[in-house]
Structure formats: structure tokens, C-alpha cells
Amino acid sequence: MTILKLNNQQPINWAWKVDASSINSAETAVKQALMDLHKPVYLAQNGAGMGISQTVSDNGSEKVLAFAQALNPEDLGDMDFKKQHGVKYAYHGGAMANGIASVELVVALGKAGMLCSFGAAGLVPDVIEDSIKRIQAALPNGPYAVNLIHAPAEEALERGAVERFLKLGVETVEASAYLALTEHIVWYRVAGLSENSDGSVNIKNKVIAKVSRTEVGRRFMEPAPQKLLDKLLAQGKITAKQAELSKRVPMADDITAEADSGGHTDNRPFLTLLPTIIALRDEVQAQYNFSPALRVGAGGGIGTPEATLAAFNMGAAYIVLGSVNQACIEAGASEHTRKLLAGVEMADVTMAPAADMFEMGVKLQVVKRGSMFAMRANKLYDLYVNYNSIEDIPAVDREKIEKQIFRQNLDDVWAGTVEFFAGRDPEMLARAQTSPKRKMALIFRWYLGLSSRWSNIGEKGREMDYQIWAGPSLGAFNSWVKGTYLETYTERKAVDVALHLLKGAAYLQRINQLKLQGVSLQQSLLNYVPS
């Protein structure tokens, strides 16, 4: 069987030669050499066929016909990203709300030289502070990041999160779900600015902004808007010097082009979104000439080595994974949820109303396999759109949702909602007290909010109501690892998963290098399989 074949009629005239004795044509030897990523490989004639060698020799007898360079997982991506964030790999574990991107996940990836964002969204400031302290104790020198989510319906949570970040010295946040800049994200960014001895701007507080729209991306690529700076100056939260320095830096250091992800998403394919965001970055950079320049990474839709390599080859400075990590043992998800996630296929996801932006009609991507959450949440949103208050809902519909969804009287749900928001966001509660429509929204958000918590803690009897965020990349990942040890959910460790994706991308890049030189390889050599 022909393992390697050169299709070029005129082979590349490499000056290199290899010893005939070092050439091996056995399939296992060829595969092993290709998998040995830290060494280059050289293809040469071996009798009637071709073989592979990992060394060249000045006294060799056989000309090198094709070549693939050494390429390690840490070689992928942007060097400046790795340097600024103090990481070994251009890999970012994205934030998953309610602590699904857990302390354990952040620490595991951090110790392996990878950045990960703690999923602070949806948590109260005291819980966020305790979690940050635990991360800082385990990773005193980093790397780590903390999620800052745009919360238009709960501004107090966004403000409270920034207060804790500044208090605890958090130096990197991942900003997500922003529709526009707020004074809170600007406060975090600008409060960390100072001037170096050479006159350059020192950026202490780094921002990685996840965006899926060019209009939002532009806001993070440009300096902070003056009207928000004026507001912060009036409040005494920043100094005049910091406001002046902010005009020389963008609002973010890194922009993640967030494609078809789990959770909040516009379902954009990254094949179209990533180059669009990169082009926007180039346009803004040409105008402002920031130093260092903004970097653009890719997230959403990445769950295989092929997708990983595609992102890097398209110019991504780094990759971001969330859905895949949620099925790992370090994630803050229940065993029931992780087991369910390990069986998800690409078509097993759908869109449902988002709890934090319910009134705005914003939706997020969730698992529909093994859960009725999406169907039930969409039913609640339909009722919200069609009626102005709980009292307006027809008795038959109210009885149905009380029995099937809430499992209790809506008056009792409201009483619990009042108690919850009294400590979390009294201002929101006050607004709802005078608006029947807002009151209805908060009652419905009771279900949407608790459903994700039920999934995280493994609430017995509520399995069909679990709200589990995931994108189709998880299905692609599950298909890729089928038949390997990673098919078993109890074997999925976040660092292993990340390294296999990066190693696989590096392996495939070497295969592509050989293909571009006219080499045909046996099918068994074309894929990277975790082992």
C-alpha cells in the first residue's frame, strides 16, 4: 500500500539530503514522525516509494523531496497575546455564567499556561469576591480573567462587579453581551491607566471584548467616549490625567469575534464574522495607530482541530472555547448536565429567551436534547408579548404554566421574587411594583433564572427544565472524539481537551504543508485522533 506519494512532476530541489538508513516507509513510523511535532519531517525516495526521516545529513544520499516544519501547540497564535497575558498558549477558556466557568476550571487552565475567564455573570458581588480570592490564592501570578457581562436590566450587578474587580486588583476582564459601552466598563478600563516614564500609556486593566456586531466592535476598538469620561470625572471615579490618557488607547486590548456560540449569540458563522472584525480592526488601527495594536481572536463554532486551525489560518490571534469546556469535569455543572452534554449532536441546540435581557427579546443558544426548557421559556415570552399583566393572562393558560412550568401559584412566585430582588437589586423591584408588565417579566424571569441554577446543582425532579447553554461546536467535538477516551464525560479534563485541539491543529498544519508540495498521504494519516 502506498503511504506517501509525490504528485509533482518536478520535485522541489531542496539542498537537504537524508541518510537512506534513516528513511522509514512503515505507516506507524510515518504517523509517529508526523505526530512528533517538535521535530521537522523530511520526505525522500525510499526504494520504489517514499519514506520519512526526521534528520538531515551533510553526507546523506537521498534528496529531500518535501518538508514540514516543526510546529508545537505553543507556536500557534499571536505572540503578543501570549506575552501580554502571561500565557504559553493562544487559548482562552471563555466565561460561562453562574460559575459554570468555575474557579476549578480557571485554575486548571491557568496552571497549564492558558487563560480562562471565571463565569461571574449572574452571581452577586459577595460570591464573585470570594471566588476571585480563591483564584488569586491558587494563581498568585496569574493568568486569569473574570467575566463582566452587560446587565441592562440589573445595572447594580454590573456596577457591583466592577467595584469588586478594582478592589481586588483584577487585571483582566472578559466583557460580554454588550450592546453599547456603559460607564462601568469604561470606569474599569480608565481607572487602570497611568503614564510610563517614557511617556507611553501603561494599561493595568486589560479588556477582552466578545462581540458579534461591527457597531459594538467599533466602540471597543476606539477610545472611551467623552460623555462617559465626563460622567466618571464628575463622580470622582477617575482622574483628569486618566481621562486624558484614555484618548490614546482603545477600550479593549483584544476583540473576540464571537460566532455561533452557546449562550448569548447572533449565530454568525465565524468564516464570515472573523474576517469582517479583522477588517474593522485594520480600519480603526489605520485611523488611531495604537501601540500595541488591537488583536482579534475567534470564538464560537470551534470544537475540532480543523476549526481550530481554520481560525488561526484566518488570522485569529487566539481561540476561545466555552461549550466544549462545559462538559469537562472542572466545570461548575452537575454530573447529569455533563453527561447530557457529552451526547449532544450538532442539531441538538436551539434558541430561547435570555433571563438577563428577557424584556428586550434577546435570545440565547441552549441544548434542546433532554430538556423542555426552550419550549417552556418561549411560551412564557409569548405570554409576555401578548398580555400586559399576569391578571390579563387567560385562566386556562395561567393554570397550565403554574402546573407545568412553575409548579406553584404565581402569587407565591411573586412573593419569592420580591424577597430575592430586595437584596439583589431593590431599584428593579421598585420599578416593578408600579408596572404590571415589569412585574410579569420578573415572575417569568424567576423560571429562566432558576433553570440554569437547577442545571448547575443537579436539582432532582427538574431535569426537564435544565437550561444548558451550548453551541453546535459541542456536537462537532463529540463527533470528533467518538471512539476515544474523551467520549466518556468523566474523562474530559479541560487541559487535555485544549491540548488535543491545539496539537491537532499543529498536526493538520504539517499535513497541509506537505500537501502544498504535492504530497498525497494515505487517509489514515490525514486526521488527528486523541489518544
Side-chain angles (χ1 to χ4, degrees), residues 77-78 81 89-92 208-209 254-257 295-299 302 311-312 315-320:
D78 188 274
F81 174 87
Y89 304 96
Y91 179 96
H92 180 196
I208 303 172
D254 300 282
I255 302 290
T256 300
R295 297 172 294 264
V296 177
I302 300 175
F312 284 127
Y318 58 95
I319 60 168
V320 180

Side-chain angles (χ1 to χ4, degrees), residues 94-111 114-120 123 126-139 143-146 329-333 494:
M96 294 174 284
N98 293 333
I100 296 173
S102 64
V103 171
E104 292 75 15
L105 183 65
V106 173
V107 171
L109 289 173
K111 287 185 174 180
M114 304 175 197
L115 184 66
C116 183
S117 296
F118 173 68
L123 303 178
D126 284 347
V127 174
I128 294 174
E129 178 169 341
D130 177 70
S131 300
I132 292 171
K133 288 179 176 177
R134 290 167 56 201
I135 293 170
Q136 291 174 332
L139 299 170
Y144 73 91
V146 182
I329 61 174
E330 300 91 347

